Amino acid sequence: MSVHLRREIERLKVQVLALSATVEEAVWLAVRAVQEHDPALARAVLAGDRAIDEREVRVEEECLKILALHQPVASDLRFLVTVLKINNDLERIGDLAVNIAERAIHLAPHEEATTTFDFVGMATRAQEMLHTALDALVNVDPARARDVCAMDDEVDAINRGMYGQVQAGIREHPLQVDFYLQQLSISRQLERIADHATNIAEDVIYMSEGKVVRHHVEEFSAPERGATPEPPTAG
């Protein structure tokens, strides 16, 4: 890999991590807006979505520029293709944070319907998945990426548990159907955020090993931890 290409790829990693940090903050603020009945926090998430979109466009433009100027091959090409896909996943997570914030604004006037749902726990788990997936990208670590795929099962289980809680809540408080449906929708948004983190992890496995595992990751056995991953070099 030329010094020039290496420098541009390192800069691209920084841009992706910056986008991820902005997206994570949006998710966290949106969940806090729900938990604290705070429409101002929710509106901050809506206002910040433009910045996420702009960062996403810059990352895409940077990828296309590197492709055009350096015409990378092999692992470098896979890295750039992976970043393009991850970039899209991060932007979609930002959109899901906006969806949660919109529901927080809708629910804010109804303070009497205090939520007992563990959205903070769900969001924390999804955030951990996103962190791990991005760490796997930066360090080219498919074993860490596989950890993310396993963690998704836990978030799916929490989301399924929410259905039972919502059904019980509606039976007990039939006049609060809208409140419970909004809670279910928020749970679904967080579950989809975890799905996007899983997509990122699957793309990192593709980048590291050249294997497409999306839709059937369980068919690929995890390599031993400590195995030396293939570095992103040209050739």
Side-chain angles (χ1 to χ4, degrees), residues 121-185:
M122 258 184 112
T124 300
R125 201 60 173 154
Q127 191 176 44
E128 183 182 358
M129 291 173 66
L130 195 55
H131 270 152
T132 305
L134 269 296
D135 182 63
L137 171 72
V138 172
N139 294 298
V140 195
D141 188 343
R144 292 282 284 162
R146 283 183 167 82
D147 289 342
V148 176
C149 299
M151 291 159 66
D152 189 42
D153 293 339
E154 298 174 32
V155 178
D156 287 345
I158 296 172
N159 184 52
R160 285 195 297 273
M162 292 283 185
Y163 278 87
Q165 292 183 57
V166 166
Q167 286 177 326
I170 290 175
R171 279 196 296 270
E172 190 173 349
H173 306 286
L175 296 181
Q176 295 182 3
V177 170
D178 178 65
F179 166 79
Y180 285 105
L181 291 180
Q182 295 293 333
Q183 306 299 300
L184 191 60
S185 176

Side-chain angles (χ1 to χ4, degrees), residues 7 9 11 23 41 46 51 76 78 86 89 113 122 126 132 143-144 147-148 171-173 180 183 194 197 201 203-204:
R7 189 181 302 134
I9 282 182
R11 187 161 56 229
V23 165
L41 278 181
L46 270 57
D76 291 330
R78 289 203 299 274
I86 288 173
D89 278 309
M122 258 184 112
T132 305
R144 292 282 284 162
D147 289 342
V148 176
R171 279 196 296 270
E172 190 173 349
H173 306 286
Y180 285 105
Q183 306 299 300
D203 288 333
V204 171

Side-chain angles (χ1 to χ4, degrees), residues 202-223:
E202 290 171 349
D203 288 333
V204 171
I205 294 171
Y206 163 77
M207 178 191 76
S208 307
E209 302 175 351
K211 298 173 182 174
V212 178
V213 300
R214 188 164 286 189
H215 308 306
H216 45 89
V217 66
E218 68 284 351
E219 295 177 14
F220 293 86
S221 59

